Amino acid sequence: MGNLCFNLQNRVAVVTGGTRGIGLEVAKALLGEGAKVSICARKQEGLDQARSVLNASDNLLTVQGHIGKEEDVDKIFDKTLQTFGEIDFLINNVGMNIMTSVVDASLSLWQKIIDTNLTGSFLCSKKAAKIMMSHKKGKIINISSIAGTRAAPVMGVYGIAKAGVDMMTKVLASELAPFNICVNAIAPSMVKTAFSEPFWSNKDLHSQIIKGIPLGRIAEPLDVSMCVLFLCSDASNFITGTTIKLDGGASAI
């Protein structure tokens, strides 16, 4: 077989939040394996910068849109179909957090975090699933977090949203299995991105964090993107309904 099962040549992926951090690294990895990639984000400036970084010409589509708005989700997927003719993979990557305790969170703050991390993934998954069901194939990959299973200070609302993502992964996997659609999630611990910079950029805090990680470091975006490639590939065709903990062994101790 060689490495044919990892060949993503001409497969089509939608990556939400593909302009920076994990999303940008995932888009880069998919393009590197021959896939055609559609990335979306709210700001055109970010999309323009990502296009320059990725330098992928005809294999890259950028679409401005807010995944928390159903009409924007329709636009993202419709443009992807018009451009590439198919959608094989959805990577629900968009995520955000505003640090607060649950009891101090206002309703508007709660709604913003839930909408971005959970509702957006629901809307995109629903749209992608309808497309994939008609072709009896596809893969949906949700970027979750260990915060969905482990309570952490000022990460409460975010953790609740990610716990919802984990359960949505199981439910969709069950509903879509008859259509040969696999649904899985990746739950990283801290990843070295701008999102988590307030934590890892502090030397003392960073040292404290890695004490709880047997591999002795925090994750890089590349670690997540390689896991995404595996779940997109034919090597994972009998895996569905699973959340992979990408935490350097932290959950083992």
Side-chain angles (χ1 to χ4, degrees):
M1 290 180 63
N3 63 357
L4 289 178
C5 60
F6 292 97
N7 182 9
L8 303 181
Q9 196 74 30
N10 294 320
R11 309 286 280 279
V12 179
V14 173
V15 181
T16 67
T19 61
R20 57 184 179 175
I22 292 172
L24 184 64
E25 193 67 38
V26 166
K28 180 180 178 182
L30 290 166
L31 288 164
E33 293 300 321
K36 298 177 180 179
V37 179
S38 172
I39 62 173
C40 65
R42 286 185 299 165
K43 297 180 180 179
Q44 186 62 47
E45 180 184 2
L47 290 167
D48 293 341
Q49 290 174 351
R51 175 171 287 281
S52 177
V53 170
L54 294 170
N55 191 26
S57 61
D58 293 341
N59 282 345
L60 177 67
L61 173 69
T62 61
V63 187
Q64 185 179 10
H66 190 315
I67 63 165
K69 298 179 179 179
E70 195 161 17
E71 62 272 22
D72 281 13
V73 171
D74 288 342
K75 178 180 74 171
I76 291 162
F77 283 86
D78 291 348
K79 284 194 174 183
T80 302
L81 285 175
Q82 290 166 11
T83 304
F84 295 134
E86 178 64 283
I87 294 174
D88 298 289
F89 314 123
L90 165 64
I91 294 86
N92 281 313
N93 167 71
V94 168
M96 60 82 67
N97 182 42
I98 298 172
M99 292 185 287
T100 179
S101 68
V102 171
V103 295
D104 289 330
S106 65
L107 179 58
S108 62
L109 180 60
W110 165 277
Q111 200 65 60
K112 183 174 183 177
I113 297 172
I114 296 295
D115 282 351
T116 303
N117 292 285
L118 181 56
T119 306
S121 293
F122 156 70
L123 291 173
C124 289
S125 296
K126 180 180 176 182
K127 183 74 175 182
K130 293 291 180 66
I131 296 165
M132 294 173 179
M133 288 166 72
S134 66
H135 296 94
K136 296 289 182 72
K137 65 184 180 76
K139 296 192 174 184
I140 297 173
I141 300 162
N142 299 315
I143 305 301
S144 184
S145 168
I146 61 166
T149 58
R150 180 182 294 181
V154 303
M155 301 287 282
V157 182
Y158 175 80
I160 291 166
K162 291 301 188 181
V165 169
D166 290 346
M167 179 51 71
M168 184 174 69
T169 298
K170 294 179 181 181
V171 173
L172 285 176
S174 177
E175 292 182 353
L176 298 177
F179 300 93
N180 194 35
I181 299 168
C182 295
V183 186
N184 293 290
I186 301 170
S189 53
M190 185 173 294
V191 182
K192 195 173 184 180
T193 65
F195 177 83
S196 62
E197 188 172 1
F199 298 96
W200 56 258
S201 62
N202 182 301
K203 184 178 179 180
D204 292 336
L205 194 53
H206 177 267
S207 296
Q208 189 64 32
I209 290 167
I210 63 174
K211 284 180 182 178
I213 303 174
L215 286 181
R217 66 175 178 88
I218 64 173
E220 298 284 346
L222 182 64
D223 295 311
V224 184
S225 69
M226 292 298 100
C227 195
V228 169
L229 287 184
F230 167 67
L231 290 175
C232 286
S233 76
D234 290 345
S236 67
N237 283 351
F238 203 59
I239 300 174
T240 193
T242 295
T243 296
I244 298 175
K245 291 182 179 179
L246 196 74
D247 64 0
S251 58
I253 58 175

